[in-house]
Every structure is written in structure tokens, then in C-alpha cells.
Amino acid sequence: SLSMKLGFHMLDTGAIFRGIACAFADMGYIDMNEETIKNFVAKIEVDVKFFDDVQHVFVNGEDKTSNLRTEKTSVLASKISVFPSVRRFMNDVAREFAKNNNCIIEGRDIGSVVLPNADVKIFLTADEEVRAKRRYLQLLESGKSADFDDVLKDLQERDYRDSHREIAPLTMTKDA
């Protein structure tokens, strides 16, 4: 990968959102409203660590990595990520990481919101059928059951939510 060739870490911000979503569920939270989310965010600490160039997300000292790629977590992460307090929290984690590391950061609003003054911005898209197939195969390879049509529908719904959200929508900047 490019990050390995450069000797950089590759930070996946989606994994951080997923770690936050896992912690939300694991801590017994159910209702998603701004007040509940603010209280939840005040109770968590997120650390990103790399082991053999693999990103691990720790929330309150617990490694959430093994649960990050489930469909349940993906859907919950997309829903929780629209809350301003969660976005601010994750942005702070990503900015702190960028300040302390040479890195490439992947995410839907990195160039537009998180690091608008980044040295290089690349906006990359892929066909939704190709992305759904990749995700479907990841689920099967990890031993989870999956239905391709459900995976595609979830991906389309997430893309719609992310590109139409009021705060930090998925968009390409002019300098990308």
C-alpha cells in the first residue's frame, strides 16, 4: 500500500466511528439523541494503536477491533456518526493522530472538515456494486452470514445518509 511504501500509518476513521458505536452498544445505551450521545462521549476514551501495521481501536482500554466490521456495527456507526458531539470527538482523535504521526487518513470528510489544510487530498470513489461485493466477501470470509442484496441496500442507504447529512456531508473539495 502507499502508506507502507511511505512508512506512514494508514488511519481508518470509519474504524474509529465503528469502535465508538461498539462501545455505545456494549455500554447498554439504546436511545440515540444528542443528550444521551453527549453523556456517552464524555465517558469514553479512544486510542488507536498499530500492531504489525494493523489498526486497532481501543475504547476505554478495550480492543473493539474484532467487532468493527459487522453489519450491525456498520449500521450503528453510520447512525451515531451524524451527532455533532461524536463527530467533534472523532475529529479530535484524528487530528491528534495526524499531529503526532506521518499518516494517510481515510474517511468521508477528512479533506473537507477534519484536515482541510492537508498537504494532499484524494477523493476516490468506486462503483457501489463493486464495493458491495467486496463487503459481502469480507463478511463471508470472516465466517459471518450475508446476503448480497442486503449488503448493497445497506451501502446505498449509508451513502445517502452520509451525503445528505447536515453536518460534514460526504463531498469532494475543490482542491482534492
Side-chain angles (χ1 to χ4, degrees):
S1 74
L2 177 61
S3 60
M4 290 176 73
K5 287 183 180 187
L6 294 172
F8 289 11
H9 284 300
M10 175 68 185
L11 185 68
D12 175 2
T13 60
I16 297 169
F17 280 121
R18 287 179 172 88
I20 293 168
C22 283
F24 185 82
D26 292 348
M27 292 170 72
Y29 287 94
I30 297 168
D31 294 330
M32 269 198 210
N33 58 60
E34 187 59 37
E35 191 62 30
T36 300
I37 297 292
K38 278 183 186 178
N39 291 333
F40 161 70
V41 169
K43 295 177 182 176
I44 63 171
E45 181 178 314
V46 173
D47 293 310
V48 177
K49 299 178 183 178
F50 285 83
F51 302 108
D52 297 323
D53 289 324
V54 176
Q55 178 178 318
H56 287 251
V57 177
F58 291 80
V59 182
N60 294 341
E62 185 178 337
D63 190 348
K64 300 292 185 183
T65 306
S66 64
N67 294 319
L68 298 182
R69 301 295 170 188
T70 66
E71 280 305 301
K72 177 184 172 188
T73 298
S74 293
V75 169
L76 186 57
S78 181
K79 291 178 180 176
I80 204 169
S81 68
V82 302
F83 287 91
S85 55
V86 171
R87 298 206 72 78
R88 283 190 300 271
F89 183 87
M90 197 294 304
N91 291 351
D92 289 344
V93 171
R95 287 179 184 128
E96 185 67 19
F97 189 87
K99 185 171 89 175
N100 296 315
N101 297 277
N102 287 323
C103 58
I104 295 173
I105 301 182
E106 178 273 325
R108 292 183 166 220
D109 66 349
I110 301 305
S112 60
V113 175
V114 180
L115 297 169
N117 298 318
D119 294 333
V120 176
K121 299 178 191 179
I122 299 170
F123 189 89
L124 183 66
T125 61
D127 180 83
E128 65 184 23
E129 296 264 340
V130 172
R131 293 168 45 223
K133 183 177 179 183
R134 182 181 67 218
R135 181 74 187 116
Y136 171 74
L137 293 174
Q138 285 174 338
L139 289 168
L140 295 180
E141 288 170 7
S142 69
K144 296 175 176 70
S145 62
D147 176 79
F148 177 81
D149 291 333
D150 289 342
V151 171
L152 177 61
K153 182 179 176 226
D154 287 345
L155 183 143
Q156 291 167 331
E157 288 173 358
R158 177 181 174 225
D159 285 349
Y160 181 83
R161 273 193 311 271
D162 289 354
S163 61
H164 288 82
R165 65 184 174 222
E166 188 174 323
I167 298 170
L170 168 62
T171 186
M172 183 170 68
T173 62
K174 292 179 182 174
D175 58 344

